[in-house]
Amino acid sequence: MKIITFLLVAFCSLSVSAQDRGVVVSQDKYASEVGAQVLRDGGTAVDAAVATAFALAVTHPLAGNIGGGGFLLTRDAGGASDFYDFRETGPKGSHPNMFLLNDKYDSDYHHYGHRSIGVPGTVAGLHLAWTERGKLPWARLIDPAIKLAREGFIISKPLANALERALPRFSKYPASIAQFSNYGKPLKEGERLIQSDLATTLERIAKHGPKDFYSGETAKLLVKEMKVGKGLITAKDLKNYKVIKRQPVMGTYRGFQVIGAPPPSSGGIAIIESLNVLEGYDINKMVWDSAPFVHHVSETLRRVFSERAKYLGDPGFVTDMPIERLISKEHAGRLRQTIQSDRASTSSPSQFEWPSESQETTHLSVVDRAGNVVSLTYTLELSFGSHIVVSGAGFLLNNEMGDFNAIPGNTASNGMIGTQPNLARQGKRMLSSMSPTILVKDGKPWLITGSPGGRTIISTTLLTILASIDFNFSAQEIVNAPRFHHQWLPDRIVWESHRFSPETKNFLSSLGHTLAEVSAQGCANIILFSDGRWEGGADTLRWADSATVWE
């Protein structure tokens, strides 16, 4: 057995409510309170989600953003669901070989710098969702974020630590180092973080809506930043950005309806496909942290991630995705037949068929008094995204172009994927693992779930569903449960260190699995309907700065 150790940092915070009140769950106590106050003032779930998201752009700069993108999944009290796709897009000049530097692949060139920035979608996406499902005035939803940016907020220990770790990359950009350091020295816990330029930008957005961000003063500042750093985003790219409303993907698991994210997210398909495979096993007779449970879930994820790489991408560019087949019970049955209970499979870069012989994003969940629910995941990609603050505008930009496959045709055992569906193109949306998910039982919302964590988002979200249905865990037990992940390549099970017994490790090793350890995986911000009331689960094991707030 080979054990690999590396570090993954995750972040989480909570806001919950009493039985007959709305619920807001996010990764920051300030933002959770903002959303809860919107519900108190009579706002809808979408109103609360929008206000929380804008607040996170101030108080959770690792992932909260107006310079990134994401997905908002909603279900109203009448049972109608909508999916708002505001994923970033490739700017003018994007092409499959754009991440080669002097004819060689360079990871930093792929993931950092101005060329790594996709056209942001967050402002447009939140505005469209509010236009169609909001109730309170637009400016009312942004005002709390403006106040937090203008007056500042107290830096927590986790945020101070994250800012210190990011300081070397911030130091490359004058506007970033000015905003997120004390003249080049780390900001400390207990100090106040004031972001005046960001406050001014938010005031313009509150007054003019998306028009300011995509063609007004903020757009001009963003394009100027691109020119200074030799980035690709043009004024035309911003002006042409569109939010796309899509139909969620639907599945079932043991009598529950599963509502998930469609492409360009791979999350909904991957989760439904995984659930279909696992439905054929007596999961409820297994022990959560036992080798049989970890083995069967990992083998399922191995197969699902290989098909993710082969088939999924932006439906505006990839028109032959076999979605109905991938999420069918029949296909899951065929995959299940290829899994052996006493031996691990082997992942190969060329293996997309299975013979039968043998990670920074943020997620928030909201429920309002009327029973409308929102599951929203949005991101800057890596923690603090590109680390580039738009000079004069005060907001961080994403490095989402790094989610496009790096080199055409180069799929390797180290996890590099080069399959055709997710190669960079102008106007194309990069494939995502973000998995905002809603489960329905007897026609009513039952679980609202999702997580940050790159590709581990899929496995983390899947595990919350299994924990709730097969193991009957409470909301807190769901988020406390040990987590693990398999993504086909690299061929290894990654799990949280010190959360699994030596016996489980030894058993998995004997089956042929390679194991890798991380300190934490994801941050599942969930809401569960249990015993006639809503419960919120605070992932305090993975982020100490948690809080409980009720409407």
Side-chain angles (χ1 to χ4, degrees):
M1 176 185 66
K2 181 179 174 186
I3 294 183
I4 307 161
T5 302
F6 57 98
L7 180 64
L8 179 68
V9 182
F11 308 91
C12 188
S13 179
L14 172 70
S15 165
V16 302
S17 80
Q19 177 177 348
D20 59 346
R21 299 177 182 175
V23 185
V24 179
V25 184
S26 85
Q27 289 192 233
D28 175 79
K29 61 184 179 181
Y30 294 103
S32 292
E33 173 57 36
V34 165
Q37 187 60 51
V38 166
L39 293 179
R40 296 185 196 113
D41 291 347
T44 67
V46 166
D47 284 331
V50 169
T52 303
F54 273 106
L56 285 167
V58 179
T59 61
H60 191 62
L62 293 87
N65 70 84
I66 60 173
F71 306 121
L72 188 152
L73 175 64
T74 183
R75 182 184 187 274
D76 65 30
S81 298
D82 277 323
F83 182 82
Y84 296 86
D85 170 6
F86 53 98
R87 182 70 158 150
E88 301 91 336
T89 60
K92 181 180 179 180
S94 301
H95 58 87
N97 292 308
M98 65 179 293
F99 306 116
L100 298 180
L101 184 62
N102 299 322
D103 294 326
K104 293 183 179 180
Y105 173 68
D106 185 284
S107 180
D108 270 9
Y109 196 60
H110 187 194
H111 292 284
Y112 293 102
H114 288 72
R115 285 175 60 93
S116 72
I117 301 167
V119 182
T122 294
V123 174
L126 296 179
H127 189 268
L128 180 59
W130 166 80
T131 299
E132 296 186 347
R133 291 178 175 265
K135 180 180 177 182
L136 299 184
W138 172 252
R140 158 65 184 86
L141 304 181
I142 305 178
D143 282 347
I146 295 171
K147 184 176 181 179
L148 284 165
R150 182 73 67 193
E151 298 180 4
F153 64 95
I154 301 302
I155 298 172
S156 66
K157 183 176 181 179
L159 179 56
N161 291 340
L163 288 168
E164 184 172 8
R165 288 193 299 269
L167 196 57
R169 288 199 179 273
F170 282 144
S171 65
K172 300 178 181 180
Y173 309 108
S176 302
I177 202 70
Q179 183 155 320
F180 292 116
S181 77
N182 184 10
Y183 298 99
K185 296 180 180 180
L187 293 169
K188 301 296 185 181
E189 176 187 3
E191 292 184 335
R192 183 173 291 272
L193 177 57
I194 295 174
Q195 301 171 83
S196 300
D197 286 346
L198 178 56
T200 301
T201 296
L202 291 171
E203 287 171 342
R204 289 194 298 265
I205 294 171
K207 183 177 181 178
H208 302 293
K211 183 178 180 181
D212 169 71
F213 192 90
Y214 293 96
S215 60
E217 180 62 23
T218 300
K220 293 177 183 177
L221 291 170
L222 201 162
V223 171
K224 181 180 179 181
E225 181 67 43
M226 288 295 104
K227 291 179 180 178
V228 169
K230 298 181 180 180
L232 299 179
I233 297 176
T234 66
K236 187 174 182 180
D237 287 324
L238 289 169
K239 187 176 181 179
N240 289 342
Y241 183 84
K242 302 293 182 185
V243 181
I244 300 178
K245 282 184 66 176
R246 305 186 189 275
Q247 286 298 311
V249 291
M250 303 283 191
T252 61
Y253 182 67
R254 306 197 195 281
F256 290 78
Q257 182 187 33
V258 183
I259 307 173
S265 172
S266 61
I269 292 172
I271 287 170
I272 292 172
E273 187 177 2
S274 297
L275 290 170
N276 286 342
V277 174
L278 294 167
E279 196 170 37
Y281 299 112
D282 292 328
I283 299 295
N284 62 342
K285 294 182 180 179
M286 299 179 185
V287 176
W288 180 267
D289 54 357
S290 68
F293 177 66
V294 176
H295 170 74
H296 284 89
V297 174
S298 296
E299 287 297 303
T300 298
L301 287 168
R302 183 199 302 271
R303 286 152 177 78
V304 167
F305 268 90
S306 73
E307 297 192 327
R308 173 191 186 273
K310 182 177 182 180
Y311 295 116
L312 302 184
D314 182 349
F317 289 77
V318 185
T319 58
D320 57 348
M321 290 182 285
I323 294 175
E324 292 303 317
R325 179 175 69 85
L326 292 176
I327 63 175
S328 70
K329 301 290 188 181
E330 294 77 14
H331 180 62
R334 288 190 290 270
L335 284 181
R336 195 183 306 118
Q337 291 176 1
T338 72
I339 297 175
Q340 298 181 82
S341 61
D342 60 350
R343 190 173 70 181
S345 305
T346 301
S347 297
S348 165
S350 61
Q351 184 180 19
F352 296 100
E353 305 296 336
W354 298 90
S356 57
E357 76 272 5
S358 334
Q359 53 155 237
E360 212 50 58
T361 303
T362 186
H363 177 85
L364 61 96
S365 299
V366 182
V367 177
D368 65 23
R369 293 189 181 202
N372 306 301
V373 302
V374 170
S375 182
L376 188 161
T377 311
Y378 71 151
T379 185
L380 288 170
E381 179 54 5
L382 300 180
S383 290
F384 302 102
S386 64
H387 293 73
I388 298 170
V389 169
V390 176
S391 183
F395 63 92
L396 282 159
L397 289 165
N398 67 85
N399 62 335
E400 211 63 67
M401 296 296 285
D403 263 4
F404 281 125
N405 292 347
I407 309 172
N410 183 12
T411 299
S413 58
N414 64 359
M416 183 80 71
I417 306 296
T419 48
Q420 183 69 30
N422 192 40
L423 296 176
R425 298 283 184 187
Q426 180 178 341
K428 189 175 184 179
R429 296 168 192 242
M430 53 291 293
L431 186 63
S432 172
S433 296
M434 289 184 283
S435 304
T437 305
I438 299 168
L439 266 67
V440 177
K441 181 181 182 182
D442 299 328
K444 297 181 180 179
W446 188 76
L447 177 69
I448 302 94
T449 185
S451 176
R455 294 181 192 176
T456 69
I457 291 172
I458 291 171
S459 54
T460 298
T461 306
L462 172 66
L463 289 171
T464 66
I465 296 171
L466 297 176
S468 64
I469 296 175
D470 290 301
F471 293 86
N472 197 30
F473 286 177
S474 69
Q476 196 60 53
E477 288 173 331
I478 290 169
V479 298
N480 285 351
R483 297 181 189 145
F484 57 93
H485 170 72
H486 201 300
Q487 62 180 46
W488 177 47
L489 295 173
D491 187 354
R492 63 193 183 191
I493 297 173
V494 180
W495 60 9
E496 294 180 315
S497 58
H498 311 301
R499 302 297 305 281
F500 294 86
S501 69
E503 291 77 15
T504 298
K505 294 181 181 181
N506 291 336
F507 197 120
L508 288 169
S509 177
S510 71
L511 297 181
H513 288 289
T514 296
L515 307 177
E517 294 184 350
V518 293
S519 59
Q521 176 179 309
C523 178
N525 298 316
I526 74 162
I527 302 172
L528 175 71
F529 191 76
S530 177
D531 296 328
R533 68 183 300 273
W534 292 109
E535 293 180 359
D539 211 339
T540 52
L541 290 175
R542 298 166 183 89
W543 180 247
D545 188 24
S546 60
T548 299
V549 183
W550 50 90
E551 180 201 330

